[in-house]
Amino acid sequence: MIQIQPVFNDKENWLAYAKKRTLKYEILEFSSAYLNQDIASEQFEWYAGTGLAASVHGVFMDNCPLSPDGVIREASIRRCRESCRQALRVGAKNVVFHSTALPFVRGGLEVLWGLDAAEFYEPLAEEYDLNIFIENFNDVDYVPLLNMMKHVNGDRVKVCLDIGHANYSRHPIAEWFEALGDHIGYLHVSDNDGRWDDHKVLGTGTVDFSAADAFYRKKGGNIPLTIEVHSLDELDASIRFLEKNRLFGFGE
């Protein structure tokens, strides 16, 4: 299932493109831009009416639901619940949250984070009848996410592997797929030069898409995959790159 991240202010053009290409939506806008203001009901109603809203990117700005600081934890959990309710309002079944593991801390804290993450996200997924995917973000390696999955018992919580983020980690993208394997249930696809999270047009950076393509094919295309770019023009250029290189089922 190929997804895009639409822009509500240009909703009709994004909708026309999505229908033309048979694409679904992962709604990113709810995650950060509106944290300090109400989201208009018309936005929820419009997205729900399209029938394309398969996923919602959950809150991530300053979000830390596993914080040892009770005040930060309480506020973050409230925001996570808001993201889940937003998903239900638009008819989405998937919510993506960023990993909050501290990237340069070990000494057992990576194990504790994994346990805490599993104990928080599994009940949250059950409560809202959603699938929750935890995305590598600041993660320099896959160890915290792997520790989380060791404590996950069901199928409601899995990993969203962002190959753009993996591209500036300490390990090649292929190693992330090898280490996490079937714990991966969702993909974010973007491009960069291995230094910053640039979200370049696909094919204009240094990301190697081969491991992600192989994994997606192994899954028969039956997992969500989101193309992350900034504009419709960049999206079209990225899809033309995928078609040319026969990646993720495009051009076949």
Side-chain angles (χ1 to χ4, degrees):
M1 178 174 66
I2 306 294
Q3 302 178 145
I4 56 176
Q5 295 174 331
V7 177
F8 185 76
N9 288 341
D10 192 23
K11 58 185 181 295
E12 297 297 345
N13 287 327
W14 281 86
L15 179 61
Y17 192 91
K19 288 183 174 180
K20 176 184 176 181
R21 291 287 193 169
T22 317
L23 306 170
K24 295 289 188 179
Y25 284 169
E26 178 194 306
I27 303 174
L28 174 66
E29 290 179 311
F30 298 162
S31 66
S32 59
Y34 303 105
L35 285 181
N36 296 308
Q37 56 184 300
D38 292 332
I39 302 172
S41 294
E42 68 171 292
Q43 294 195 32
F44 291 113
E45 293 168 3
W46 191 87
Y47 276 124
T50 67
L52 300 182
S55 307
V56 165
H57 196 307
V59 60
F60 64 90
M61 299 296 287
D62 304 317
N63 190 55
C64 193
L66 310 180
S67 173
D69 185 314
V71 176
I72 294 172
R73 184 172 64 250
E74 180 181 358
S76 297
I77 289 173
R78 185 170 67 249
R79 291 303 195 194
C80 288
R81 291 183 179 278
E82 287 176 6
S83 293
C84 291
R85 290 193 293 270
Q86 289 165 357
L88 296 180
R89 290 187 68 175
V90 298
K93 291 298 293 182
N94 307 311
V95 179
V96 178
F97 290 111
H98 281 184
S99 163
T100 60
L102 296 174
F104 299 105
V105 174
R106 287 296 186 263
L109 289 179
E110 75 284 6
V111 177
L112 180 61
W113 181 88
L115 175 61
D116 288 347
E119 290 182 347
F120 172 64
Y121 289 114
E122 273 203 294
L124 188 69
E126 292 293 334
E127 179 181 352
Y128 289 95
D129 191 23
L130 292 167
N131 304 309
I132 290 178
F133 300 90
I134 309 304
E135 174 188 355
N136 58 305
F137 179 50
N138 291 324
D139 305 69
V140 295
D141 62 22
Y142 40 75
V143 172
L145 288 170
L146 189 57
N147 283 327
M148 177 187 75
M149 293 309 304
K150 289 177 180 178
H151 297 288
V152 169
N153 297 310
D155 293 325
R156 294 270 182 155
V157 176
K158 287 195 172 185
V159 172
C160 169
L161 184 60
D162 187 309
I163 63 174
H165 297 170
N167 195 48
Y168 54 72
S169 75
R170 289 180 172 178
H171 297 276
I173 294 170
E175 286 189 19
W176 285 78
F177 282 100
E178 182 179 354
L180 292 169
D182 288 336
H183 295 315
I184 302 167
Y186 199 115
L187 296 174
H188 274 179
V189 174
S190 64
D191 208 345
N192 59 60
D193 293 326
R195 298 182 62 208
W196 315 110
D197 192 21
D198 297 313
H199 288 202
K200 293 175 176 286
V201 171
L202 302 188
T204 64
T206 62
V207 168
D208 179 358
F209 298 94
S210 58
D213 177 65
F215 184 83
Y216 190 72
R217 290 175 183 276
K218 175 186 173 184
K219 294 296 182 181
N222 293 321
I223 62 171
L225 180 154
T226 301
I227 301 170
E228 294 191 302
V229 288
H230 301 293
S231 69
L232 261 178
D233 287 342
E234 291 183 354
L235 174 63
D236 190 57
S238 294
I239 288 181
R240 284 189 277 110
F241 165 79
L242 297 178
E243 287 176 331
K244 179 181 178 181
N245 292 277
R246 297 182 177 272
L247 296 167
F248 310 119
F250 285 98
E252 298 178 353

